[in-house]
Amino acid sequence: MQQIVGQARAAFNSGRCRSLEFRMQQLKALERMVQEKEKEILAAIRADLHKCGPSAYSHEILGVLKELALAMDKLPSWAAPQPVKRDLLTMRDEAYVCPEPLGVVLIIGAWNYPFVLVMQPLIGAIAAGNAVVVKPSEICENTAQLVSDLLPQYLDQELYPVVTGGVPETTELLKQRFDHILYTGNSTVGKIVMAAAAKHLTPVTLELGGKSPCYIDKDCDLDVACRRITWGKYMNCGQTCIAPDYILCDPSIQSKVVENIKVTLQEFYGEDVKSSPDYERIVNKRHFKRILGLLDGQKIAHGGEADEASCFIAPTILIDVSPESKVMEEEIFGPVLPILTVKNVDEAIEFINRREKPLALYVFSNNKKLIKRVISETFSGGVTGNDVIMHFLLSTLPFGGVGNSGIGAYHGKHSFETFSHRRACLIRDLKMEVMHKLRYPPGSQKKVDWAKFFLLKRFNKGQIGLVIFALLGIVAAVVMIKNHQSVLKRKALLIVLAVQRLGWLS
Amino acid sequence: NPYAGLVNHLRAAWLSGKTRPIEYRVAQLEALGRFLDEKKQDILEATASDMGKPSFEAYFTEILLCKNEINGTLNNLSHWMKDEHVDKNLVTQLDSAFIRKDPYGVVLIIAPWNYPIHLFLVPLIGAIAAGNCVVFKPSETTKNTERLVAEMLTCYLDNDCFAVVTAGVQETTRLLENKFDYIFYLCSTSVGKIVMAAAAKHLTPVTLELGGKNPCYVSDTCDVQNVARRVAWGRFFNAGQTCIAPDYVLCSVEMQEKLMPALREAITEFFGSNPQESPDFGRIVGDKQFRRIRALLCSGRVAIGGQADEKERYIAPTVLADVLPSDPAMQEEIFGPILPIVVVANMDEAIDFINARPRPLAIYAFSCDSKVVNQVLERTSSGGFCGNDTLMHVTLTSLPFGGIGNSGLGKYHGKFTFDTFTHHRGCLHRNMGLEALNALRYPPYSQQKLGLLTATFEIKRKGMCTLL
């Protein structure tokens, strides 16, 4: 591991990944890879997750192509230095924020969307000019192997190595020094990653999970709401970090919700879900057993069928679920949808706030005020109102968790910023020394008063403030000219100059 | 867990939602402003007795810059708090998409001793502005300031939501066992690692403002007297105890020769012929630090200063010439009034020297030739950069202030402090209608649906745009 990371660091230090042309070239190569190897990628995902072509394409490939197009389009503007507002003391200087690469970045992918969850951060990291070590999830063996085979064929091999392996290899990898680590996975391992990062003071982005609540108000179009929820819950067989984990609703609409979901399930997957090409499987036996265990002692309103040999669990709905039951303790990450009843939105908000902050929060209602209230009185990584999942697909929104559901965010420009250092730059003039004399010792009350005059942001940006400010400056200049003609004439001129340029300030 | 009660109390206040309305935040910030106005004399006295801080310096950094931050925050708070609407794609055109600025909850600020008011107050301003409850721990090293903060500041702030903790190393370790929603730590790299490891146990995000050795490259083409003044000012401010002070100078042997008399002149201009008598030169904060810094004097040769007085914890403004990379002064952050000059052949060697070392909090480059300044900027990496001056980039609050690598994680000042203590929550508020459009995404899947979906979803390169 040391060698791989060392090589990436040496390659980064050579400076070749800093030029925009180089970054664009790598991004274009990635685009070619995704387009040329589409069949292989879809085949690997099917082998790992039993995901059909169109589904895998729309979940994994479409997003990647979109992100690539955005990055290539915007890179020049993202990477350009951004000038900042100056104050009176710095108005003759150049002041800007310069985005710079961090160095060698580590991306650890997850198994549920094995391709996109490695590619999307990779795009941001390359765009920001870093070297990247990629570690796809070992649980999806086919996709991991494919990524490991393909990336070196299209990208610079030293700068973007792929490391495959399980827990021992990842532990070894985490001992190395990185300049940023982006990890997608669960909270337990997230803590381990952050603890390893702490040894090197490495900043981290942790995309974790949690139980994303979904509140359905009595006043809403239940048909539409339930269809959208069904789509988000059962896609990828429930193995989505932002799937609606459980439903909160009034007892009077519980049975209608169940009915609607049943109808929608039939619309989506037909009579026999198991034979639908559009319904996935649980990734492995361990998770299969874990999810099945959550059904113990629960009232199954729909589904519940399972087949260990193929890791199939039917789309399942549980009703009258108790908050203390096992299914409400951990993130389900499977096609099991518990419904808990609450009397009203106050109880729902209270219920949500008693738990760890989730990655996503969903609320369905015709009442805009109610939705606004739920957003304002709860916390979560992100929110979609009147739908599920969709906030993930808008790359202008930062995607990330809060509290137990994660640290940091990415997608679109947020990826670029996550993997960049925003370096503050102030370039001054070696001349104009007279302006600086105010700050040098020996100190004096007069200097203090001038310092207050120049520095203290007392004024609102109102016109009146500026006018008074200007007048004060002119008066001061006149006074100074009168009192100290020769020596301070220069100073006075400077002050008048300063006052004249007030227009720059606001 | 001795602090569990305190943290729980603050968490209860947090859950009540008290800190969220803008009126509340404004009231607390205004109270902080009043604290600075009414207790100005006490602050100047406390910092003077703690570390001989000259009153001009104390006024500038502890009062003036803090008031700037308060006023800047009050002027802009309602704008910063607003939902930030974002560009939408074709599918979300009819929806409301925005970034909500949520506070984190109960946050912890651990401050250092070198600017004992400023360095906890500026993060505190941002944390309050962002709507959090705050536990803040001023440094135990500056005892008088610590007492002032614990006794007086608490009278200005709402004690249900803001608590001061006075604690040494042991107690701080216990404090860190509690779960916080954000931790902001300023001081040393080694303790920074301990803080981050403690934060990892609770998945608490952190900002670490650490330190390092800030190099200062002086090229051969420059106005020597001006350079000397600016470098001397930056180095000897607060008796060198500044995280962004120029730690060492890199220049050619000819420039070292020219700089020496210029530095001597600047020091005399600032502090007179006997700086020990000048009211404008500070003292080292404690005996331990004094002894540490004094030991660094045996590096290179003492060209200016070098005197030390243990009773007063006074170390004269000192310039060391011909310092070698292996000398004691080049092994650690000096954090004292000693300026080593390391001779390099040219700018390239200076840049290689800088890049061979951990990335510092700040890099300084002096030259009349702007190309030289830009070269140093482009070929190095640091938290921040200032060309042709020292320290000044941190007084401009529109610039983010923070480190990289060993010098830190995260940034603050101005709006950046507010953003640091804010969770930027992506929100999409959709329409319940137009369900027909969603049909494209539902199973059963088909190539046809996929084709249509691709057409609506994909961002094409410029020149081949869709309806957007």
Side-chain angles (χ1 to χ4, degrees), chain B residues 378-444:
Chain B
E378 279 166 31
R379 289 165 57 187
T380 59
S381 176
S382 63
F385 180 92
C386 188
N388 291 329
D389 209 336
T390 56
L391 312 191
M392 290 304 285
H393 60 294
V394 310
T395 62
L396 185 56
T397 55
S398 50
L399 283 174
F401 175 60
I404 183 175
N406 270 24
S407 54
L409 230 137
K411 52 193 175 291
Y412 75 122
H413 278 188
K415 178 169 194 260
F416 300 103
T417 325
F418 175 87
D419 285 337
T420 288
F421 287 108
T422 298
H423 168 58
H424 290 74
R425 188 181 186 192
C427 300
L428 183 65
H429 184 159
R430 307 209 74 200
N431 215 304
M432 277 280 233
L434 300 170
E435 182 62 0
L437 287 180
N438 279 346
L440 278 184
R441 73 191 199 198
Y442 297 143

Side-chain angles (χ1 to χ4, degrees), chain A residues 85 102 179 228 278 357 375 380 383 385 387 396 423-424 426 428-430 433 439 442-443 455 457, chain B residues 68 75 87 104 226 230 280 359 377 380 382-383 385 387-389 398 425-426 428 430-431 435 441 445:
Chain A
K85 244 201 243 180
L102 290 168
D179 301 300
R228 297 180 182 187
D278 300 326
K357 296 175 188 166
I375 298 179
S380 65
V383 178
D387 208 336
T396 44
R423 189 180 189 193
L426 181 67
R428 313 204 77 193
D429 206 318
L430 256 185
E433 185 64 354
R439 72 192 201 205
L455 270 185
K457 291 197 183 109
Chain B
N68 241 9
N75 284 344
D87 286 343
Y104 275 106
N226 287 352
R230 296 176 193 193
D280 298 318
R359 289 179 290 189
L377 170 58
T380 59
S382 63
F385 180 92
N388 291 329
D389 209 336
S398 50
R425 188 181 186 192
L428 183 65
R430 307 209 74 200
N431 215 304
E435 182 62 0
R441 73 191 199 198
Y445 302 124

Side-chain angles (χ1 to χ4, degrees), chain A residues 191 194-199 201, chain B residues 176 183 191-204 206 208:
Chain A
K191 292 180 184 177
M194 191 169 171
K199 297 205 171 79
L201 289 170
Chain B
L176 284 167
I183 297 178
V191 179
K193 293 181 181 176
I194 297 172
V195 170
M196 189 169 172
K201 296 203 172 80
H202 298 288
L203 290 170
T204 301
V206 298
L208 308 172

Side-chain angles (χ1 to χ4, degrees), chain B residues 306-385:
Chain B
Q307 302 89 352
D309 179 341
E310 185 152 4
K311 221 176 4 130
E312 269 191 46
R313 292 198 295 269
Y314 163 81
I315 294 181
T318 301
V319 180
L320 304 172
D322 298 323
V323 175
L324 297 170
S326 52
D327 283 335
M330 290 305 289
Q331 304 315 313
E332 56 183 81
E333 187 177 356
I334 294 170
F335 227 67
I338 297 175
L339 182 66
I341 301 183
V342 176
V343 165
V344 288
N346 49 38
M347 179 188 72
D348 290 315
E349 207 179 287
I351 290 175
D352 289 338
F353 190 96
I354 295 171
N355 287 339
R357 290 167 161 66
R359 289 179 290 189
L361 195 48
I363 290 180
Y364 301 109
F366 286 84
S367 179
C368 284
D369 183 354
S370 63
K371 279 202 217 71
V372 170
V373 172
N374 281 325
Q375 278 275 293
V376 177
L377 170 58
E378 279 166 31
R379 289 165 57 187
T380 59
S381 176
S382 63
F385 180 92

Side-chain angles (χ1 to χ4, degrees), chain B residues 71-230:
Chain B
N71 290 340
T73 305
L74 286 171
N75 284 344
N76 294 294
L77 186 55
S78 65
H79 176 67
W80 293 349
M81 280 172 67
K82 279 205 179 77
D83 288 339
E84 207 179 295
H85 286 266
V86 298
D87 286 343
K88 294 174 283 196
N89 54 25
L90 192 53
V91 168
T92 48
Q93 269 307 302
L94 298 173
D95 306 323
S96 173
F98 55 92
I99 300 174
R100 166 63 54 92
K101 315 294 177 70
D102 278 341
Y104 275 106
V106 179
V107 309
L108 172 65
I109 297 172
I110 301 178
W113 50 259
N114 53 334
Y115 292 90
I117 299 281
H118 177 107
L119 289 176
F120 86 80
L121 201 61
V122 174
L124 178 63
I125 291 165
I128 294 178
N132 299 283
C133 288
V134 191
V135 175
F136 52 104
K137 195 204 92 58
S139 172
E140 73 279 15
T141 307
T142 37
K143 286 258 166 300
N144 295 293
T145 317
E146 187 195 36
R147 195 178 325 125
L148 185 155
V149 170
E151 289 171 10
M152 295 191 197
L153 184 53
T154 43
C155 307
Y156 289 82
L157 295 176
D158 180 346
N159 290 328
D160 282 334
C161 302
F162 309 106
V164 182
V165 165
T166 54
V169 173
Q170 309 277 33
E171 296 99 321
T172 310
T173 313
R174 301 306 309 277
L175 182 60
L176 284 167
E177 286 167 16
N178 293 283
K179 177 180 172 132
F180 291 97
D181 301 304
Y182 203 95
I183 297 178
F184 193 107
Y185 169 78
L186 307 100
C187 207
S188 78
T189 301
S190 50
V191 179
K193 293 181 181 176
I194 297 172
V195 170
M196 189 169 172
K201 296 203 172 80
H202 298 288
L203 290 170
T204 301
V206 298
T207 291
L208 308 172
E209 296 275 329
L210 311 175
K213 292 181 76 60
N214 306 316
C216 180
Y217 171 65
V218 181
S219 87
D220 286 332
T221 49
C222 68
D223 186 328
V224 183
Q225 197 52 58
N226 287 352
V227 171
R229 241 185 250 115
R230 296 176 193 193

